[in-house]
Amino acid sequence: NAGVTQTPKFRILKIGQSMTLQCTQDMNHNYMYWYRQDPGMGLKLIYYSVGAGITDKGEVPNGYNVSRSTTEDFPLRLELAAPSQTSVYFCASSRNTYEQYFGPGTRLTVT
Amino acid sequence: QKEVEQDPGPLSVPEGAIVSLNCTYSNSAFQYFMWYRQYSRKGPELLMYTYSSGNKEDGRFTAQVDKSSKYISLFIRDSQPSDSATYLCAMSEGQGGSEKLVFGKGMKLTVNP
């Protein structure tokens, strides 16, 4: 099993550009999550999903959108990128609400 | 009061030391208590989890939960340089409660050879 995979690993965006961060898991987990991690600030939940077709906002959803059309995929869309969205983004999945497995992360810089 | 509080450190210890990492919390609905380890420039990995109060041991790692005090700990015995990482505590209400984990901010540990 590959576990949770994320692409791209790194990306530099100009202010106002858009992009999609991809996340795929092959563990047949129902729960999927997107976090951002800023230095010294811990992990902040952006969006999560409890199953295909169901998504909900986390702590910091503004400027982001998600969709969950399949169990495996949970892409995160950034519209009109801003410098405040410079961060490391982690996707995670779990079969329950507590054993979350994380991907390797995407490092995003917006300039 | 924040829902989960974790001393951010950093903590530096010599190889072979016993390390104690701690978190406190305020939400009495938490039932599952996790410890994640995150190496530099990597994603967090689940080290171990405990359900409700009590101890759980896995090799050199022991997780302890005291729900009456709302306090959890992770002990690392015979610490090794390979244990150098950031450790995050996390808590969950479990099935029937919130689907979200609440994380501490993480404690950076350095084990010196």
Side-chain angles (χ1 to χ4, degrees), chain A residues 37-104:
Chain A
Q37 187 175 42
D38 301 306
M41 299 301 291
L43 289 160
K44 293 191 175 178
L45 182 65
I46 305 171
Y47 270 97
Y48 68 102
S49 168
V50 300
I54 307 169
T55 62
D56 208 345
K57 295 178 181 179
E59 186 183 354
V60 289
N62 290 346
Y64 307 94
N65 274 302
V66 294
S67 59
R68 183 98 183 269
S69 56
T70 67
T71 299
E72 295 78 21
D73 300 303
F74 190 40
L76 177 71
R77 178 84 178 160
L78 277 72
E79 305 282 1
L80 299 173
S84 60
Q85 293 177 305
T86 293
S87 189
V88 182
Y89 292 84
F90 290 103
C91 178
S93 74
S94 62
R95 62 181 176 89
N96 49 44
T97 58
Y98 48 92
E99 292 176 275
Q100 291 188 13
Y101 293 88
F102 284 77

Side-chain angles (χ1 to χ4, degrees), chain A residues 10 31 33 35 37 40-43 45 48 50 57-58 90 95-104 107, chain B residues 32 34 36 38 40-46 49 88 92-95 97-101 103-106:
Chain A
F10 306 93
Y31 298 91
Y33 304 81
Y35 296 91
Q37 187 175 42
M41 299 301 291
L43 289 160
L45 182 65
Y48 68 102
V50 300
K57 295 178 181 179
F90 290 103
R95 62 181 176 89
N96 49 44
T97 58
Y98 48 92
E99 292 176 275
Q100 291 188 13
Y101 293 88
F102 284 77
R107 291 184 174 273
Chain B
Y32 291 87
M34 281 64 64
Y36 285 82
Q38 185 176 21
S40 181
R41 303 181 77 84
K42 301 288 187 186
E45 59 173 321
L46 179 62
Y49 75 88
L88 301 101
S92 167
E93 295 179 6
Q95 298 301 121
S98 170
E99 296 93 355
K100 296 173 276 191
L101 280 189
F103 284 87
K105 291 191 174 180

Side-chain angles (χ1 to χ4, degrees), chain B residues 42-66:
Chain B
K42 301 288 187 186
E45 59 173 321
L46 179 62
L47 259 182
M48 55 199 305
Y49 75 88
T50 308
Y51 173 68
S52 194
S53 281
N55 292 359
K56 187 173 186 178
E57 191 172 313
D58 184 1
R60 296 182 295 108
F61 298 87
T62 299
Q64 201 169 74
V65 174
D66 181 350

Side-chain angles (χ1 to χ4, degrees), chain B residues 5-70:
Chain B
E5 306 236 29
Q6 181 175 10
D7 183 349
L11 180 63
S12 181
V13 301
E15 183 175 351
I18 296 174
V19 175
S20 170
L21 306 170
N22 311 297
C23 289
T24 60
Y25 64 96
S26 58
N27 184 355
S28 57
F30 287 143
Q31 296 286 343
Y32 291 87
F33 304 89
M34 281 64 64
W35 286 97
Y36 285 82
R37 177 175 62 195
Q38 185 176 21
Y39 291 115
S40 181
R41 303 181 77 84
K42 301 288 187 186
E45 59 173 321
L46 179 62
L47 259 182
M48 55 199 305
Y49 75 88
T50 308
Y51 173 68
S52 194
S53 281
N55 292 359
K56 187 173 186 178
E57 191 172 313
D58 184 1
R60 296 182 295 108
F61 298 87
T62 299
Q64 201 169 74
V65 174
D66 181 350
K67 289 191 74 178
S68 62
S69 302
K70 295 190 175 68

Side-chain angles (χ1 to χ4, degrees), chain A residues 12-53:
Chain A
I12 299 174
L13 276 184
K14 293 191 187 307
I15 294 172
Q17 287 184 323
S18 301
M19 75 166 293
T20 298
L21 282 66
Q22 301 291 346
C23 175
T24 300
Q25 53 95 6
D26 62 0
M27 296 174 281
N28 201 34
H29 287 165
N30 282 329
Y31 298 91
M32 293 190 76
Y33 304 81
W34 273 106
Y35 296 91
R36 59 177 288 173
Q37 187 175 42
D38 301 306
M41 299 301 291
L43 289 160
K44 293 191 175 178
L45 182 65
I46 305 171
Y47 270 97
Y48 68 102
S49 168
V50 300

